Amino acid sequence: MSVDSAMTQDMLFLAYLFEIGSSESSLKEFATHLVTALSEGLDADIIILMVEEDGGSRPLASYGIELDPKQTLRHGCPLQLCIPLRTTIILPIVHRQRTLGSLHIYRSESQKRPSRFDNGSHESSAYIKAFLQALTSSVATSLHTRILQKQASRTLFHLHSLIENIPNAVMLFNADNKVLLSNEHARALAGRMQWDQIGDPQRNPFRLCDANGDELPRSEWPFLKAIRLSIPSVNEEYVLDFGTFQRRVLINVSPVPMSDGEPDIFVATAEDITDRAEQDQRKDDFLTVASHELRSPLTPLLGFMQMARHQAESAQTVDINVLLRAEHQAHRIRRLIEGLLDFSRIETGRLKLVCRQINLVELITYILEPWRSAEDTKNSFQISLPSKPLLASVDPDRIEQVITNIIDNALKYGRPDGMISIDLFRQDNHAIVTISDDGDGIDPRDLEHVFERFYQRGKNGGSFRTSMGLGLYISRQIIEQHGGSITIQSAPDSPTTVRISLPLLKQPASPPAD
């Protein structure tokens, strides 16, 4: 082959290496294609591409020999091939004064064909040096590009993983309003869709409103204000109005300055505070009702006490009815305070039960006695109790608290002169207590929440509020601590039935008959 033909072939070979380097391939794929092409183009038996890594080097790809890609060699430690070699060429791969690795080219002694790299080649050493320099330069550029792509891919993967694991909604967008990245929480909050453009009217499923529910013009959206004014938004409250429902959110938007100081990327986070806002509203309502409830018995109590004192100071006989009515109001205050204390004990895990073996038939009979003998109620009671004892390990005071609260609710929400039915029976290994009234029932929207703390339902769909919304919440906690359950069955214009299930004690087996 003439010198000109060899040079032409070298140029075509370098062009082929450039084609491999510019192809769409991963780092591993590029390295595999590269060593295969080098083995053919350089007529070499063994080609090894080593990469610098953590103070040493490891084989990224090899041709003609199997090497462990996880094996790391310290600097200065040569590869041990244990093969008789005729020619060895080790070329450093350097890109912009940074050593990326090295290229190892070997010809074994068994190879009889001459090589341009053997002594006595017709090509000048200067040309061979220039050829190898061009070859390593091409490899270095391609390898550097692949390493950067791998690092970028890994960084992007870590960024995706980080954003997906943030518990709030996160979105990245640029100065052209283009959404670059968002996590699952953001897609769920925005109606399970991916924005391409911030506030795209064609794909926007909600109206953005201020904290008062007034719709904001698109120019006042915190995302677009950050782009326009380059200022952050910190914990600003907004409402996402989807038409059939609303979500209340806290939004933060932060410009991310680039090297020139100008923001090009913006990160927005949103926290769904709908449940928290509703809970806060319930707490506010609770405090309002609690204040009213505590003041309500205090006023007549003070009045009755002043009346009794006036009678005593004027040497009159103190009216026993005045004292009884004052005592009644004092008991009301005590029950309210006990409810607050029970709530605190439940929230801090300090509600304790003092359980002992009790016959539930006798306990329910005792609990119902005040209503059976009461003369100041127009309601009638229908009570059904079994003749055989039902033994359970319960705290009798707490069970009385639950039954009393439910009967009070039945009297409050049932008809003033209606019937209240109370049944106790055995079902498998549980005792079942049902308490039913013949009122107007409970709206399904209320029924979902009646056992929640601070929840207060209206009477007959109105705004009637006479409790702190803790009775059923405390009752459920008490029953569940007994290992039982409590449910409510109701519907508008239908009776309401509260069903309590308590585990019974296992009865000892009867001795065999003689």
Side-chain angles (χ1 to χ4, degrees), residues 4 58 105 108 163 199 215 226 231 267 318 327 370 373 423 444 502:
D4 289 341
R58 68 174 180 86
I105 306 170
S108 66
I163 289 179
E215 185 174 4
I231 57 174
V267 58
V318 176
E327 182 183 19
S373 58
D423 295 299
L502 291 168

Side-chain angles (χ1 to χ4, degrees), residues 364 368 371 381-385 403 407 420-424 433-436:
I364 299 299
L368 297 179
W371 284 284
F381 288 81
Q382 179 178 306
I383 301 171
S384 175
L385 303 174
I403 300 297
I407 293 177
I420 295 177
S421 301
I422 302 163
D423 295 299
L424 171 65
V433 182
T434 62
I435 301 172
S436 303

Side-chain angles (χ1 to χ4, degrees), residues 301-318:
L301 174 61
L302 290 173
F304 293 137
M305 292 177 64
Q306 290 171 355
M307 188 182 301
R309 188 187 67 181
H310 175 73
Q311 291 173 344
E313 289 175 346
S314 60
Q316 300 180 34
T317 301
V318 176

Side-chain angles (χ1 to χ4, degrees), residues 324-339:
L324 289 174
R325 295 172 73 179
E327 182 183 19
H328 175 72
Q329 298 302 326
H331 284 308
R332 283 184 60 191
I333 295 174
R334 185 194 66 183
R335 287 195 298 270
L336 290 169
I337 294 174
E338 286 177 347

Side-chain angles (χ1 to χ4, degrees), residues 82-316:
C82 300
I83 299 174
L85 300 174
R86 180 178 178 182
T87 306
T88 299
I89 301 175
I90 300 177
L91 303 172
I93 303 175
V94 180
H95 181 81
R96 295 182 180 177
Q97 300 182 341
R98 176 191 172 192
T99 300
L100 303 179
S102 56
L103 186 63
H104 298 242
I105 306 170
Y106 302 101
R107 281 171 56 85
S108 66
E109 289 186 352
S110 61
Q111 179 64 265
K112 301 303 182 182
R113 288 184 300 168
S115 167
R116 66 201 312 182
F117 304 113
D118 295 331
N119 292 331
S121 170
H122 62 277
E123 294 180 88
S124 68
S125 60
Y127 174 79
I128 293 176
K129 183 178 179 180
F131 171 77
L132 292 177
Q133 185 175 4
L135 184 149
T136 55
S137 176
S138 174
V139 172
T141 301
S142 303
L143 183 60
H144 181 257
T145 301
R146 291 306 192 288
I147 291 174
L148 289 181
Q149 288 175 344
K150 184 176 181 179
Q151 292 174 345
S153 177
R154 183 177 298 174
T155 301
L156 187 60
F157 174 77
H158 290 162
L159 178 61
H160 274 276
S161 299
L162 174 65
I163 289 179
E164 285 296 339
N165 284 282
I166 294 176
N168 294 333
V170 180
M171 180 175 66
L172 273 65
F173 59 97
N174 62 18
D176 296 326
N177 302 357
K178 182 176 178 57
V179 177
L180 306 175
L181 188 64
S182 64
N183 64 0
E184 175 63 19
H185 294 289
R187 293 188 289 275
L189 189 61
R192 307 208 67 80
M193 52 140 282
Q194 172 69 58
W195 274 345
D196 294 324
Q197 295 284 331
I198 294 291
D200 182 355
Q202 301 297 324
R203 303 190 62 190
N204 188 30
F206 56 80
R207 296 184 307 122
L208 186 65
C209 307
D210 61 20
N212 297 320
D214 298 324
E215 185 174 4
L216 293 172
R218 189 170 177 272
S219 60
E220 293 302 308
W221 286 27
F223 320 107
L224 303 181
K225 283 176 63 178
I227 294 175
R228 187 174 72 252
L229 304 176
S230 296
I231 57 174
S233 300
V234 181
N235 281 342
E236 294 183 355
E237 187 172 334
Y238 296 92
V239 174
L240 307 182
D241 187 349
F242 290 87
T244 56
F245 65 94
Q246 294 181 339
R247 308 302 297 175
R248 192 169 290 271
V249 296
L250 283 181
I251 293 179
N252 291 271
V253 183
S254 300
V256 181
M258 306 306 288
S259 57
D260 58 0
E262 292 295 324
D264 183 60
I265 297 177
F266 302 80
V267 58
T269 64
E271 180 183 1
D272 189 342
I273 60 168
T274 306
D275 293 339
R276 186 201 308 173
E278 292 176 355
Q279 189 75 356
D280 289 341
Q281 184 60 49
R282 289 182 193 176
K283 288 182 180 179
D284 292 342
D285 293 343
F286 162 74
L287 292 174
T288 301
V289 173
S291 301
H292 172 75
E293 286 288 295
L294 288 171
R295 283 197 305 267
S296 180
L298 277 175
T299 302
L301 174 61
L302 290 173
F304 293 137
M305 292 177 64
Q306 290 171 355
M307 188 182 301
R309 188 187 67 181
H310 175 73
Q311 291 173 344
E313 289 175 346
S314 60
Q316 300 180 34

